[in-house]
Amino acid sequence: MRVLITGANGFLGRALTQRLLADGVLRGQAIDTLILLDKTLSGFADDPRLRLHPVSVTEPALLRRALADGVDVVFHLISIPGGAAEQDYAVGYQVNLLASLELLQQLRAMQHAPVFVYASSVAVYGGELPARMDERQPARPELSYGAHKLMVETALADLTRRGEVDGRALRLPGIVARPREPNGLRSAFMSDLMHAVAAGQAYRCPVSAQATAWWMSARCCVDNLLHAAELNDPGTQRVWQLPVLQLSINQVLDALLSTYGQERRELIEFCPDAGLEALFGRLPPLRTPHARALGFRHDGNALALVRNALLPAARVRRIRALTETAGAPQP
Amino acid sequence: MRVLITGANGFLGRALTQRLLADGVLRGQAIDTLILLDKTLSGFADDPRLRLHPVSVTEPALLRRALADGVDVVFHLISIPGGAAEQDYAVGYQVNLLASLELLQQLRAMQHAPVFVYASSVAVYGGELPARMDERQPARPELSYGAHKLMVETALADLTRRGEVDGRALRLPGIVARPREPNGLRSAFMSDLMHAVAAGQAYRCPVSAQATAWWMSARCCVDNLLHAAELNDPGTQRVWQLPVLQLSINQVLDALLSTYGQERRELIEFCPDAGLEALFGRLPPLRTPHARALGFRHDGNALALVRNALLPAARVRRIRALTETAGAPQP
């Protein structure tokens, strides 16, 4: 079993790499080779299964070299985030659109159609959402990032129909808690708030306490990416909206304070930015019965989101065990 | 006013070229230069306004040369038809998708955002249609041709939002009457039937007499392409489903026979092909109130469709004048 991760150096890519190395198995087969591709690759374990390709995904020849010995499962995570892609259109066009199309073209030439898990985004819906929505909501992107994600979804669905790639596209919500560094994501505040409370630092929140967003921890997201790869013959419709936790900033803050201490509430100041609030602060309830029936999941509740997002895996397992012993209701 | 037509040698391209040369004016300005681009260009009038570029649209450098002196309005008509693109995926991918994206990239670098009229297709909807539908029907393409049209629509809408191109995408139904030659179109029967009756030749129709399709004459289609180019500031939503005539083969045949003589009915034999009937013979009524409000039109009725599709322009004008004199109801 040969697996490729593009964007392996990123937030999700690193979490997925760790998980695959730890699991050692995918689709019932041992992972012999895990090919990591990203512009830079640093700090990965010295594991004989790893093949590092510290190259740009926008170079077709280098991409071809990474795929030279074949690949069974691809996790295509690399992308220029929404805010950055909007500012530097050309870079977003090259990475988010053209490189994805080129990768698909190279994969369709392979002897066996590889499983292709694509990290798409709720950005495909754009900003004008109904008061309640479900997973069949038509896409109407309002950022180049979302437009390019939608185009790659369309290309992937077409090649899947043709039997040339076995595509599975997941529309991801805001994933937390990303490292606190400039990352070009306009939704960075979702992670920054969590880190600030966890670290006991002051934070000016750029949306109101009532702002509602869609949340998922990286741990839960990796579960869903793996689940997408594991599914056998999941039908003809291959673009899935992941279940999300629709929570207000207040609900997340309450969960953070009950974990880290109520006195930290005074560290948070609200200075809402109207534009940001319109984009990320008015997200309606989102029903996903089809994705749930297929086995995709969100974190469960705000407390589980906080612990999945911020605590080390070992500690989360311990908390889960304790909660189960105490007979507390499960998410 | 500099105008570019890609696919100028094609059926619609030739009709549009003739019309633009005859009108001489677009968006209130005289057409100084009409740039024609197609792999081959033959039989065009010796007109000082014409600039012929007999090159492939898939060559970025040659495309750049055609655009070197700037362009104000683009009609992007070139495409590999659905059947041909499905059989030879690579050619469809290069022409229908990559060349369109490259053209848009070259245009967005221009000083003024050019008006860009894109010939998209009802193929974006795919085959599973409701019993009644309207122009808001979600796209779910089932052929690579439709997938690539949808992707270009998405790219065009995004660049229009960014103010870099002034895009207007029209979803075209089956256009008649195309020349009777192999053209890779699976809907070729719509034109072939019309030519056969007009020429008094026998014809085996590959769909049933009850098959319903969406029809438009080339003349009406050119009217709509020009109307799309003429519109000033037509709102933010720039992908329009053209109004169509939903007619059964029987209805079109009746109009043909009343034009060319009832005795020709016996020339037509029906040998329905289940696949073709499923793709092109079950098309439901299609409401387009938004496109109509913007001034887009279908041919009016089956008789007008037949005369617009088959008779020379001069003769159609004469018939129209006679009908109007006689006080007959207008479409």
Side-chain angles (χ1 to χ4, degrees), chain A residues 16-326:
Chain A
L16 179 61
T17 299
Q18 277 182 19
R19 177 71 178 275
L20 284 171
L21 290 176
D23 289 358
V25 174
L26 189 62
R27 294 178 66 77
Q29 289 185 277
I31 298 170
D32 310 310
T33 307
L34 182 53
I35 308 162
L36 305 185
L37 193 147
D38 211 328
K39 213 166 165 182
T40 60
L41 288 166
S42 61
F44 285 93
D46 189 15
D47 189 299
R49 294 167 293 178
L50 289 184
R51 301 283 179 282
L52 305 195
H53 288 259
V55 300
S56 170
V57 70
T58 63
E59 295 286 345
L62 300 179
L63 199 55
R64 194 165 288 119
R65 195 179 302 166
L67 299 174
D69 296 321
V71 65
D72 302 298
V73 178
V74 176
F75 293 94
H76 184 43
L77 309 183
I78 205 163
S79 80
I80 304 292
E86 193 63 21
Q87 285 210 305
D88 189 342
Y89 177 90
V91 173
Y93 177 75
Q94 289 294 329
V95 174
N96 295 348
L97 181 60
L98 287 193
S100 302
L101 296 179
E102 171 65 24
L103 175 58
L104 287 173
Q105 291 306 300
Q106 295 194 13
L107 292 173
R108 69 178 278 270
M110 299 208 163
Q111 210 159 6
H112 300 289
V115 169
F116 188 96
V117 180
Y118 178 52
S120 186
S121 165
V122 295
V124 298
Y125 300 118
E128 284 182 46
L129 300 177
R132 306 182 71 80
M133 67 180 265
D134 70 22
E135 57 202 338
R136 294 164 307 177
Q137 174 73 15
R140 196 177 292 265
E142 283 173 27
L143 289 174
S144 299
Y145 175 76
H148 294 156
K149 289 284 183 191
L150 179 60
M151 292 168 74
V152 175
E153 282 183 0
T154 305
L156 184 58
D158 183 47
L159 292 175
T160 299
R161 175 191 63 78
R162 293 176 64 88
E164 296 174 338
V165 174
D166 185 350
R168 294 110 196 266
L170 302 183
R171 291 177 175 170
L172 273 47
I175 306 295
V176 292
R178 294 178 182 274
R180 295 185 82 177
E181 56 197 31
N183 56 19
L185 278 168
R186 300 174 80 169
S187 57
F189 68 90
M190 296 168 70
S191 296
D192 293 347
L193 170 74
M194 300 182 88
H195 286 302
V197 176
Q201 292 166 349
Y203 183 65
R204 294 184 80 164
C205 185
V207 298
S208 71
Q210 291 71 43
T212 51
W214 294 332
W215 308 72
M216 181 175 284
S217 71
R219 187 169 299 150
C220 178
C221 185
V222 166
D223 284 344
N224 283 312
L225 290 167
L226 291 173
H227 183 67
E230 295 283 359
L231 283 172
N232 280 317
D233 210 3
T236 54
Q237 206 283 95
R238 297 297 188 88
V239 180
W240 301 308
Q241 172 55 57
L242 285 184
V244 301
L245 271 178
Q246 185 229 17
L247 297 172
S248 68
I249 291 286
N250 245 343
Q251 287 173 296
V252 175
L253 189 55
D254 282 348
L256 285 164
L257 297 176
S258 82
T259 307
Y260 293 98
Q262 296 296 332
E263 72 286 359
R264 297 192 182 183
R265 186 181 294 273
E266 65 202 34
L267 294 169
I268 310 302
E269 184 189 0
F270 291 94
C271 308
D273 171 282
L276 213 57
E277 184 108 6
L279 265 179
F280 296 104
R282 299 276 175 267
L283 293 175
L286 168 51
R287 292 189 65 244
T288 54
H290 179 64
R292 281 172 167 279
L294 283 169
F296 294 104
R297 293 289 178 262
H298 58 53
D299 287 271
N301 56 46
L303 268 174
L305 173 79
V306 164
R307 73 186 183 208
N308 283 337
L310 292 170
L311 303 185
R315 190 151 162 219
V316 170
R317 276 197 296 275
R318 211 162 59 237
I319 294 176
R320 274 193 193 150
L322 286 169
T323 329
E324 279 161 30
T325 313

Side-chain angles (χ1 to χ4, degrees), chain B residues 59-75:
Chain B
E59 295 286 345
L62 301 178
L63 198 56
R64 195 166 286 119
R65 196 181 300 167
L67 298 173
D69 296 321
V71 64
D72 302 298
V73 178
V74 176
F75 293 95

Side-chain angles (χ1 to χ4, degrees), chain B residues 77 87 96 104 147 162-163 165 168 190 216 222 228 290 292:
Chain B
L77 309 183
Q87 286 210 303
N96 295 349
L104 286 173
R162 293 177 64 89
V165 173
R168 295 113 193 265
M190 296 169 70
M216 180 175 285
V222 166
H290 180 64
R292 283 172 167 279

